[in-house]
Amino acid sequence: MSNPLRFASLAACSALAIAAPLLLPSQAEACGGNFCDSGPTTMPVDQTGENILFKIGDDYVEAHIQIQIDPETSAEKFAWVIPVSALPEFSVGSQFLFDNMLAGSVPSYGVQNQSDFCGDGGDDSGDGAANSTGGDEGGDPGGDGDGDEGGGPNLVAKGSVGAFDYAVLEGGTVESVMQWLGDNGYQQDPNAEPILATYLEEEFLFVALKLGVETDLADIHPIVIRYDGVEPCVPIRLTAIAAADDMDIRTFFLGDARVVPVNYRHVLINSLKLDWFNNASNYKEVISMAVDAQEADGNAFVTEYAGDSSVISLAGVYDASWDPAPYAALVDSPIGAIDLLTQQNLLFCDLEWDFVCTPLHPLLQGALDQFIPVPQGVDPVEFYDCLECFVDDIDLTAWDSVEFAAMLDERIFKPGLRAQNLVLDNPYLTRMYTTISPSEMNADPMFRSNSTLPDVAPQRLGTQTLHCDGSTTFELPDGRQVYFPAGDPLVWPEFQDEMPWDEDIDQDGMANNAPLINLVDNTERINELLDAYNQGKGMDGNGNDGDGDGDAGLDDGGLASGCGCSAGEDEPVGGALLGFAALGLMGLVRRRRG
């Protein structure tokens, strides 16, 4: 059976730089895939979109790409084609790095409750103490480069990186490239031809990547691609062939300073649009509508976190006890390998209490299946807990101590050490997010550092205050207040139709560390609409609830705690001129939801 071709773009974003590939989206419900953020107050955001981490060096860019495949897709059907402007270096990435980075920087929205002091006979449920709630409702060179006589592509490199085999093609015509892909087991998509032709005209190479023989979906791991350049970008033009509407793209950057988009705009959302009583459960909808607003035009990012990289836990990423040499010494039999894995904190076995034998690294099970397979009819837990008990059943033909040690070193040990050093050597982490639809994938977003911008904290806490007359005031981290009269249900309002989705839209200043250019500032309009809403609910123009006691805000007798305001969260930040996107997308606020 031929492999359906997964196109991704590793396109040049400038004369000196290329960028990381963007994979096709996988089917997953919010927080229901393999990777789900967690935090002090977990926000139900779909984390199964495309996640890419960049390290911008002095003269290079290193891109870590989290590869995710639909579990219903068989391993032999996975394939991937990437246009590149130069021959990159490949290595295996760390899944733990992505897991911990997602968890440590996830935006979280929560509510802390308090009550005004109403004297004797007041509300017994509120003693003035703050109470946080979670809102639970809510590369080997290949060949001599000789192409086909008819202008076929040259095979300039081939090799393997972890579980993947790759080949790099240069030159030829779009017809010959498609022919090569077909001859080598890749199913062609005719819709890709004009885009591939454009890359060929721009003298790009193509990397054809797919899972190697005897690999399975359990062997999937991130890929690291390193290339010359200083300006990373996320290529998305080929992704449009099979992408779904509102596809998630999340980019991370490790370095010395915050990073902003260059040719995409940057959006600060209107926080009033979020459902604060349900931990911002409508977060993706708000982001999608905000990046679709006029002047953002479907090509914009939101900064979810910007600050100290120490939020990335190094737990599980690397262990100083990891060493391939002891495994290689077990030449005759794998007996002893399980003890080594346990000693090096890669495997946990317990028959006495839990009857489990659990790999502590996502790639270990694949290695065990290949080199120390469980004999037919034997319980896996009992087998791995006591190999010497099944000495006559062990498949010695599968055991190769040198290859087993090499696999652990290539896929677990070295990637873990590189990931740990990457975090320790780069003190600043930026996390940005957007949603984008195929019709908007007309330009590859580019990025660069801007050290003049403020941090953005991940935690956002609002304060809900119950007043003595039964009314409630909710204060957002930015100081805005929403009033709920006594007897009204505490359901987050939808506000007026004209309430903007964005507070600010900005663009890059077109120079290193230049001030950002503000395109849209809706602050005054949002304040006016909020005042009108509150007055319609009974709050007077001075922020009082209309009963004369002036208690719509924090009462003098009320006990308030820190609201966890995010440093820089409500500052207009980031943004970029729309470099290559079609101008026809500009003008209207569009709701791209089916």
Side-chain angles (χ1 to χ4, degrees), residues 198-356:
T198 300
Y199 283 115
L200 282 171
E201 291 174 1
E202 297 169 358
E203 298 184 350
F204 288 99
L205 295 79
F206 292 100
V207 173
L209 188 74
K210 59 185 176 182
L211 281 172
V213 179
E214 298 182 359
T215 56
D216 198 88
L217 296 184
D219 299 316
I220 297 297
H221 53 74
I223 291 288
V224 180
I225 299 179
R226 181 177 173 131
Y227 50 87
D228 294 337
V230 293
E231 194 171 73
C233 76
V234 181
I236 59 176
R237 287 179 285 173
L238 273 174
T239 306
I241 297 171
D245 282 347
D246 290 342
M247 188 184 79
D248 300 280
I249 300 177
R250 191 168 283 101
T251 57
F252 299 84
F253 301 84
L254 278 168
D256 297 320
R258 183 172 163 181
V259 172
V260 293
V262 174
N263 64 326
Y264 272 46
R265 288 160 168 80
H266 187 283
V267 165
L268 178 68
I269 64 172
N270 176 8
S271 294
L272 288 170
K273 287 291 193 176
L274 295 168
D275 186 347
W276 283 88
F277 291 149
N278 287 289
N279 303 134
S281 59
N282 62 336
Y283 181 80
K284 180 174 179 177
E285 178 188 10
V286 173
I287 298 298
S288 296
M289 296 300 293
V291 300
D292 275 353
Q294 187 173 0
E295 296 296 338
D297 303 306
N299 291 124
F301 280 84
V302 171
T303 297
E304 296 186 312
Y305 174 77
D308 199 314
S309 65
S310 63
V311 297
I312 305 174
S313 169
L314 294 177
V317 174
Y318 180 72
D319 192 301
S321 67
W322 290 352
D323 182 3
Y327 302 95
L330 301 175
V331 177
D332 297 325
S333 169
I335 293 176
I338 299 302
D339 290 338
L340 286 171
L341 292 171
T342 302
Q343 294 165 13
Q344 295 187 11
N345 300 313
L346 290 167
L347 187 69
F348 173 76
C349 291
D350 184 355
L351 265 67
E352 182 176 355
W353 295 101
D354 298 323
F355 200 77
V356 295

Side-chain angles (χ1 to χ4, degrees), residues 479-504:
R480 291 190 173 105
Q481 295 184 344
V482 181
Y483 178 67
F484 299 85
D488 271 19
L490 289 179
V491 177
W492 195 257
E494 295 185 1
F495 296 104
Q496 305 93 323
D497 290 341
E498 58 267 32
M499 178 69 78
W501 295 89
D502 308 80
E503 175 134 2
D504 286 284

Side-chain angles (χ1 to χ4, degrees), residues 110-141:
V111 180
Q112 54 185 9
N113 296 314
Q114 61 185 20
S115 299
D116 288 341
F117 178 72
C118 301
D120 292 341
D123 184 1
D124 293 337
S125 65
D127 61 2
N131 174 29
S132 292
T133 72
D136 290 338
E137 293 96 2
D140 294 330

Side-chain angles (χ1 to χ4, degrees), residues 12-303:
C13 299
S14 71
L16 298 177
I18 60 178
L22 186 66
L23 303 182
L24 300 185
S26 59
Q27 285 294 116
E29 298 178 359
C31 268
N34 294 326
F35 313 104
C36 179
D37 280 354
S38 62
T41 307
T42 303
M43 183 178 61
V45 176
D46 184 354
Q47 302 294 6
T48 59
E50 309 309 334
N51 300 313
I52 302 176
L53 165 66
F54 293 99
K55 158 60 184 172
I56 307 173
D58 294 335
D59 58 359
Y60 71 92
V61 172
E62 185 174 285
H64 297 240
I65 306 100
Q66 183 186 37
I67 296 179
Q68 300 180 83
I69 303 176
D70 190 331
E72 297 181 0
T73 301
S74 60
E76 65 270 13
K77 291 185 178 181
F78 173 75
W80 186 23
V81 169
I82 317 162
V84 297
S85 63
L87 187 62
E89 299 175 3
F90 298 89
S91 59
V92 176
S94 168
Q95 183 58 53
F96 271 115
L97 174 60
F98 275 99
D99 292 345
N100 295 356
M101 186 168 54
L102 283 163
S105 61
V106 59
S108 59
Y109 291 83
V111 180
Q112 54 185 9
N113 296 314
Q114 61 185 20
S115 299
D116 288 341
F117 178 72
C118 301
D120 292 341
D123 184 1
D124 293 337
S125 65
D127 61 2
N131 174 29
S132 292
T133 72
D136 290 338
E137 293 96 2
D140 294 330
D144 57 9
D146 292 335
D148 295 335
E149 292 183 2
N154 297 320
L155 181 63
V156 296
K158 66 178 180 179
S160 62
V161 52
F164 298 96
D165 293 332
Y166 66 85
V168 183
L169 309 177
E170 180 181 34
T173 63
V174 66
E175 293 81 10
S176 63
V177 171
M178 296 293 281
Q179 181 67 43
W180 187 96
L181 294 171
D183 291 343
N184 288 273
Y186 298 84
Q187 180 177 315
Q188 307 89 47
D189 186 339
N191 294 322
E193 289 197 21
I195 304 175
L196 290 176
T198 300
Y199 283 115
L200 282 171
E201 291 174 1
E202 297 169 358
E203 298 184 350
F204 288 99
L205 295 79
F206 292 100
V207 173
L209 188 74
K210 59 185 176 182
L211 281 172
V213 179
E214 298 182 359
T215 56
D216 198 88
L217 296 184
D219 299 316
I220 297 297
H221 53 74
I223 291 288
V224 180
I225 299 179
R226 181 177 173 131
Y227 50 87
D228 294 337
V230 293
E231 194 171 73
C233 76
V234 181
I236 59 176
R237 287 179 285 173
L238 273 174
T239 306
I241 297 171
D245 282 347
D246 290 342
M247 188 184 79
D248 300 280
I249 300 177
R250 191 168 283 101
T251 57
F252 299 84
F253 301 84
L254 278 168
D256 297 320
R258 183 172 163 181
V259 172
V260 293
V262 174
N263 64 326
Y264 272 46
R265 288 160 168 80
H266 187 283
V267 165
L268 178 68
I269 64 172
N270 176 8
S271 294
L272 288 170
K273 287 291 193 176
L274 295 168
D275 186 347
W276 283 88
F277 291 149
N278 287 289
N279 303 134
S281 59
N282 62 336
Y283 181 80
K284 180 174 179 177
E285 178 188 10
V286 173
I287 298 298
S288 296
M289 296 300 293
V291 300
D292 275 353
Q294 187 173 0
E295 296 296 338
D297 303 306
N299 291 124
F301 280 84
V302 171
T303 297

Side-chain angles (χ1 to χ4, degrees), residues 390-410:
F390 300 92
V391 63
D392 295 332
D393 299 313
I394 295 175
D395 182 4
L396 295 179
T397 64
W399 176 247
D400 186 320
S401 62
V402 174
E403 290 297 324
F404 182 71
M407 176 178 284
L408 294 180
D409 197 36
E410 180 194 24

